[in-house]
Amino acid sequence: MKNILMTIAVLLISIGLKAQTSEIHFEKLTLQEALAKAKTVNKPVFVDCFTTWCIPCKHMEKGVFTIDSVADFYNTNFINIKVDMEKGEGPSIKKTYVVEAFPSYLILDSEGKTRNKYVGSMPAGEFIANARKGVNTKSEEAQLNARYESGERSPELLRRYILHKVKIMEISKAKKLNDELMAILTPKQKASPENWVLFGRNRYTMYLSDLFSPNFKYLTDHWQEFAAQNTKDTVDRKLSSVYRQIASWSLNGFYYKVKPYDKKTFEMYKAEVKKTKVPDKAQLLVMMDIAMAAGERDEPKVTRLFIDNVGSFSEENRHILFDYVTFGRSFKGYNFPQITKLYDEVNKTSTNPYLISLFKDMKKRYAPEQAQ
């Protein structure tokens, strides 16, 4: 009986120790030392690219790296190292492997070539699945890199490569590849359905076809060619979304963090809108006037334009009223003197409960005597 109890105690201690120490084992090696070791043990190198201020990095370290299945797989298959992208050799690695988001994970062969790269916080199953792709050289990352490095420049490869680089947040590389692709495509090819993903309204928009991108500028100059191949409605929705974005960003101040206000630029936007045939052209032109007034910090004009026109806006365009609130609050001590008129217009014409509730609450705050 005594022996049985001792055996159980040993088992419990060993289980407890395993639970306490089950985590990815990161070796204190430089990248070059890890690559040299990789040659001797015939294993790839896993690099955790992190920063000390990155919240998702901390989540992965505490909540995923310590899971048994994750630790077992990474410790069995890789030489694991952690590199702070802001210290020591971090900035050099960041530049070499185009690390532009954190956390980023690299799986490298012993020569330092990327077998796989994945980005961001993710559950354990996905984290292991991404690692499996890096155990061999058949991952999408490895194949696309190899095709490009061999000199292939087919439109199909470049398009896939661009989208993949966005996926792994190598945005600067994706933009360079996009420029490379645009340089070899004919106008008809650029406007084709297979390339619409580089111009349209989708998950890649903010990186490839937003307001300040060459792709959007090209679209505004050739929208009829795109409409012929992708339907006018599809192109209209894209154009409207970006011009609406101009008004939104001008009101909330984001636009001017990127570029200073320049009246000629906004007049150019108005001219571009006038050349389109979007269904909400009249609304967009008013929104350009609102954007210009916001750029000039002319609060009374911004408010007047909203009061006079917001009732005729579509619900989607009316959404910039949320940004109007941010604009008003950018003036110290501003008390929204026309809030009752704005609320009345919103309450009468909007079907957005959040917008109505916001302006109702603002009326109670800034015009309590009229909120009864």
mmCIF file of all heavy atoms in Angstrom, residues 242-252 287-288 290-291 294 320 323:
data_model
loop_
_atom_site.group_PDB
_atom_site.id
_atom_site.type_symbol
_atom_site.label_atom_id
_atom_site.label_comp_id
_atom_site.label_asym_id
_atom_site.label_seq_id
_atom_site.Cartn_x
_atom_site.Cartn_y
_atom_site.Cartn_z
ATOM 1 N N VAL A 242 -15.258 55.933 -51.277
ATOM 2 C CA VAL A 242 -14.023 56.698 -51.047
ATOM 3 C C VAL A 242 -14.317 58.186 -50.900
ATOM 4 O O VAL A 242 -13.745 58.856 -50.035
ATOM 5 C CB VAL A 242 -12.997 56.439 -52.160
ATOM 6 C CG1 VAL A 242 -11.747 57.296 -51.944
ATOM 7 C CG2 VAL A 242 -12.606 54.965 -52.193
ATOM 8 N N TYR A 243 -15.228 58.737 -51.714
ATOM 9 C CA TYR A 243 -15.554 60.149 -51.559
ATOM 10 C C TYR A 243 -16.268 60.403 -50.227
ATOM 11 O O TYR A 243 -16.086 61.450 -49.595
ATOM 12 C CB TYR A 243 -16.379 60.644 -52.751
ATOM 13 C CG TYR A 243 -15.551 60.706 -54.008
ATOM 14 C CD1 TYR A 243 -15.857 59.910 -55.113
ATOM 15 C CD2 TYR A 243 -14.431 61.530 -54.082
ATOM 16 C CE1 TYR A 243 -15.066 59.942 -56.259
ATOM 17 C CE2 TYR A 243 -13.646 61.568 -55.227
ATOM 18 C CZ TYR A 243 -13.959 60.771 -56.305
ATOM 19 O OH TYR A 243 -13.168 60.799 -57.419
ATOM 20 N N ARG A 244 -17.058 59.443 -49.795
ATOM 21 C CA ARG A 244 -17.672 59.550 -48.467
ATOM 22 C C ARG A 244 -16.575 59.516 -47.391
ATOM 23 O O ARG A 244 -16.653 60.225 -46.388
ATOM 24 C CB ARG A 244 -18.663 58.403 -48.270
ATOM 25 C CG ARG A 244 -19.381 58.425 -46.925
ATOM 26 C CD ARG A 244 -20.569 57.470 -46.912
ATOM 27 N NE ARG A 244 -20.186 56.119 -47.283
ATOM 28 C CZ ARG A 244 -20.551 55.526 -48.428
ATOM 29 N NH1 ARG A 244 -21.284 56.167 -49.322
ATOM 30 N NH2 ARG A 244 -20.178 54.282 -48.691
ATOM 31 N N GLN A 245 -15.561 58.710 -47.635
ATOM 32 C CA GLN A 245 -14.442 58.615 -46.708
ATOM 33 C C GLN A 245 -13.706 59.951 -46.582
ATOM 34 O O GLN A 245 -13.254 60.323 -45.494
ATOM 35 C CB GLN A 245 -13.474 57.532 -47.196
ATOM 36 C CG GLN A 245 -12.279 57.268 -46.296
ATOM 37 C CD GLN A 245 -11.354 56.231 -46.923
ATOM 38 O OE1 GLN A 245 -10.712 56.481 -47.933
ATOM 39 N NE2 GLN A 245 -11.312 55.042 -46.336
ATOM 40 N N ILE A 246 -13.596 60.683 -47.680
ATOM 41 C CA ILE A 246 -12.949 61.997 -47.639
ATOM 42 C C ILE A 246 -13.674 62.902 -46.640
ATOM 43 O O ILE A 246 -13.051 63.572 -45.809
ATOM 44 C CB ILE A 246 -12.941 62.650 -49.033
ATOM 45 C CG1 ILE A 246 -12.025 61.866 -49.979
ATOM 46 C CG2 ILE A 246 -12.497 64.107 -48.940
ATOM 47 C CD1 ILE A 246 -12.101 62.327 -51.427
ATOM 48 N N ALA A 247 -15.002 62.926 -46.730
ATOM 49 C CA ALA A 247 -15.782 63.757 -45.804
ATOM 50 C C ALA A 247 -15.627 63.278 -44.368
ATOM 51 O O ALA A 247 -15.447 64.078 -43.448
ATOM 52 C CB ALA A 247 -17.251 63.747 -46.213
ATOM 53 N N SER A 248 -15.672 61.967 -44.185
ATOM 54 C CA SER A 248 -15.539 61.391 -42.852
ATOM 55 C C SER A 248 -14.191 61.740 -42.240
ATOM 56 O O SER A 248 -14.095 62.230 -41.104
ATOM 57 C CB SER A 248 -15.703 59.863 -42.942
ATOM 58 O OG SER A 248 -15.404 59.242 -41.712
ATOM 59 N N TRP A 249 -13.118 61.489 -42.994
ATOM 60 C CA TRP A 249 -11.768 61.747 -42.492
ATOM 61 C C TRP A 249 -11.506 63.239 -42.273
ATOM 62 O O TRP A 249 -10.746 63.606 -41.384
ATOM 63 C CB TRP A 249 -10.738 61.178 -43.453
ATOM 64 C CG TRP A 249 -10.604 59.687 -43.396
ATOM 65 C CD1 TRP A 249 -11.312 58.834 -42.608
ATOM 66 C CD2 TRP A 249 -9.697 58.882 -44.149
ATOM 67 N NE1 TRP A 249 -10.919 57.533 -42.834
ATOM 68 C CE2 TRP A 249 -9.921 57.538 -43.765
ATOM 69 C CE3 TRP A 249 -8.730 59.156 -45.108
ATOM 70 C CZ2 TRP A 249 -9.192 56.477 -44.318
ATOM 71 C CZ3 TRP A 249 -8.008 58.097 -45.656
ATOM 72 C CH2 TRP A 249 -8.241 56.775 -45.268
ATOM 73 N N SER A 250 -12.127 64.088 -43.093
ATOM 74 C CA SER A 250 -11.947 65.527 -42.917
ATOM 75 C C SER A 250 -12.606 65.998 -41.625
ATOM 76 O O SER A 250 -12.095 66.871 -40.922
ATOM 77 C CB SER A 250 -12.531 66.289 -44.106
ATOM 78 O OG SER A 250 -11.837 65.964 -45.301
ATOM 79 N N LEU A 251 -13.758 65.419 -41.298
ATOM 80 C CA LEU A 251 -14.468 65.800 -40.085
ATOM 81 C C LEU A 251 -13.796 65.263 -38.821
ATOM 82 O O LEU A 251 -13.687 65.971 -37.822
ATOM 83 C CB LEU A 251 -15.916 65.298 -40.144
ATOM 84 C CG LEU A 251 -16.836 66.053 -41.101
ATOM 85 C CD1 LEU A 251 -18.107 65.252 -41.363
ATOM 86 C CD2 LEU A 251 -17.178 67.436 -40.561
ATOM 87 N N ASN A 252 -13.323 64.012 -38.868
ATOM 88 C CA ASN A 252 -12.726 63.448 -37.646
ATOM 89 C C ASN A 252 -11.239 63.748 -37.510
ATOM 90 O O ASN A 252 -10.608 63.375 -36.522
ATOM 91 C CB ASN A 252 -12.992 61.937 -37.541
ATOM 92 C CG ASN A 252 -12.316 61.133 -38.650
ATOM 93 O OD1 ASN A 252 -11.221 61.457 -39.112
ATOM 94 N ND2 ASN A 252 -12.962 60.046 -39.067
ATOM 95 N N MET A 287 -21.084 66.711 -49.676
ATOM 96 C CA MET A 287 -20.126 66.180 -48.715
ATOM 97 C C MET A 287 -18.713 66.719 -48.960
ATOM 98 O O MET A 287 -17.945 66.930 -48.015
ATOM 99 C CB MET A 287 -20.147 64.648 -48.764
ATOM 100 C CG MET A 287 -21.459 64.071 -48.238
ATOM 101 S SD MET A 287 -21.675 62.322 -48.604
ATOM 102 C CE MET A 287 -20.608 61.591 -47.393
ATOM 103 N N MET A 288 -18.374 66.984 -50.233
ATOM 104 C CA MET A 288 -17.090 67.617 -50.519
ATOM 105 C C MET A 288 -17.060 69.044 -49.984
ATOM 106 O O MET A 288 -16.042 69.519 -49.478
ATOM 107 C CB MET A 288 -16.811 67.607 -52.021
ATOM 108 C CG MET A 288 -16.565 66.230 -52.632
ATOM 109 S SD MET A 288 -15.222 65.290 -51.844
ATOM 110 C CE MET A 288 -16.147 64.251 -50.704
ATOM 111 N N ILE A 290 -18.728 70.016 -47.368
ATOM 112 C CA ILE A 290 -18.587 69.826 -45.922
ATOM 113 C C ILE A 290 -17.127 69.558 -45.570
ATOM 114 O O ILE A 290 -16.584 70.126 -44.613
ATOM 115 C CB ILE A 290 -19.484 68.663 -45.439
ATOM 116 C CG1 ILE A 290 -20.962 69.074 -45.501
ATOM 117 C CG2 ILE A 290 -19.106 68.234 -44.023
ATOM 118 C CD1 ILE A 290 -21.929 67.930 -45.238
ATOM 119 N N ALA A 291 -16.475 68.721 -46.368
ATOM 120 C CA ALA A 291 -15.067 68.407 -46.127
ATOM 121 C C ALA A 291 -14.190 69.650 -46.240
ATOM 122 O O ALA A 291 -13.283 69.871 -45.422
ATOM 123 C CB ALA A 291 -14.597 67.335 -47.119
ATOM 124 N N ALA A 294 -14.717 71.813 -43.275
ATOM 125 C CA ALA A 294 -14.030 71.218 -42.116
ATOM 126 C C ALA A 294 -12.539 71.503 -42.187
ATOM 127 O O ALA A 294 -11.903 71.809 -41.168
ATOM 128 C CB ALA A 294 -14.284 69.718 -42.069
ATOM 129 N N ILE A 320 -21.851 59.977 -41.813
ATOM 130 C CA ILE A 320 -20.770 60.914 -41.468
ATOM 131 C C ILE A 320 -21.186 61.876 -40.360
ATOM 132 O O ILE A 320 -20.341 62.624 -39.858
ATOM 133 C CB ILE A 320 -20.263 61.696 -42.698
ATOM 134 C CG1 ILE A 320 -21.327 62.670 -43.223
ATOM 135 C CG2 ILE A 320 -19.774 60.760 -43.776
ATOM 136 C CD1 ILE A 320 -20.761 63.688 -44.203
ATOM 137 N N ASP A 323 -19.078 61.515 -37.438
ATOM 138 C CA ASP A 323 -17.808 62.250 -37.510
ATOM 139 C C ASP A 323 -18.016 63.740 -37.247
ATOM 140 O O ASP A 323 -17.106 64.423 -36.761
ATOM 141 C CB ASP A 323 -17.155 62.042 -38.878
ATOM 142 C CG ASP A 323 -16.863 60.583 -39.150
ATOM 143 O OD1 ASP A 323 -15.999 60.022 -38.467
ATOM 144 O OD2 ASP A 323 -17.520 59.993 -40.039
#
